[in-house]
Amino acid sequence: AVLPSVALNVGDTVPLEIWRTPLAAVSRSGTNTIALEDYKGKAIILDFWASWCAPCLEHMPYLDSLHREKKAGLQVIMMNASSSRDGFLTEGKFIKEYLGLHPNFITPFVLRSDLYRQYFFFKVVPHYIWIGADGSIKAITDHKALTSDNISKFISGANLSLPIKLR
């Protein structure tokens, strides 16, 4: 498979266009607009997920608890992987139900961004993009790399040599 020419890799700097793109974020308080630039200077993990993906759902509470514990230096954003209008509606309903069942969940859920899908190209979820506080991509992983130790190293700016997930 040929990757789109804009697909970013480990070591690449996230372009300004991505930092500034408005994203519709769903939380317990409703829907609001966020942008990656709101979290500049923090370590950021983009979690591309789908409601039918068991490992995705399994790791959401864990990532949210790490986000809560380390929020001074870490921002996690749950990026829905759906690319269709039907998927968008289904996932939106799923998010509202999920938040109803997890009242303490603080991590924002983003419903679909075609631009993010281009830049952070993937075919299989879960798909995690680790963006360092310096704005460059430090890792592209699956769920196996989401350890507290790896995330602490990531926040501190230490070098990560995590296996790169096949897209």
Side-chain angles (χ1 to χ4, degrees):
V2 177
L3 297 180
S5 60
V6 294
L8 298 172
N9 294 299
V10 172
D12 289 348
T13 298
V14 175
L16 206 51
E17 177 184 21
I18 288 291
W19 286 103
R20 292 184 173 161
T21 297
L23 301 167
V26 179
S27 67
R28 289 192 48 79
S29 57
T31 303
N32 64 325
T33 302
I34 63 170
L36 213 53
E37 70 183 348
D38 298 342
Y39 312 109
K40 222 166 185 156
K42 283 188 171 189
I44 300 169
I45 295 179
L46 300 178
D47 173 355
F48 288 90
W49 64 277
S51 62
W52 44 260
C53 164
C56 298
L57 302 183
E58 190 180 308
H59 286 86
M60 279 179 178
Y62 172 69
L63 257 181
D64 187 62
S65 69
L66 285 173
H67 179 192
R68 184 179 292 105
E69 177 189 323
K70 302 173 185 298
K71 67 181 167 200
L74 177 69
Q75 178 64 45
V76 178
I77 302 174
M78 303 289 175
M79 301 289 300
N80 184 255
S82 179
S83 60
S84 70
R85 180 77 186 139
D86 286 348
F88 178 81
L89 295 171
T90 303
E91 299 293 4
K93 185 173 181 254
F94 170 83
I95 291 168
K96 286 187 176 74
E97 289 170 3
Y98 187 88
L99 289 171
L101 295 170
H102 299 85
N104 298 322
F105 207 86
I106 64 165
T107 303
F109 281 93
V110 170
L111 279 170
R112 188 175 162 201
S113 170
D114 291 336
L115 187 67
Y116 272 59
R117 283 182 66 88
Q118 279 183 298
Y119 276 101
F120 304 114
F121 181 77
F122 61 90
K123 288 185 176 174
V124 178
V125 289
H127 186 74
Y128 301 94
I129 305 289
W130 305 49
I131 301 170
D134 65 356
S136 68
I137 297 178
K138 303 299 183 187
I140 298 172
T141 71
D142 64 13
H143 58 283
K144 294 179 193 93
L146 295 175
T147 66
S148 187
D149 188 45
N150 283 342
I151 290 172
S152 292
K153 282 184 194 168
F154 173 53
I155 292 168
S156 75
N159 195 24
L160 293 174
S161 53
L162 301 175
I164 296 175
K165 174 188 171 273
L166 298 175
R167 295 180 197 259

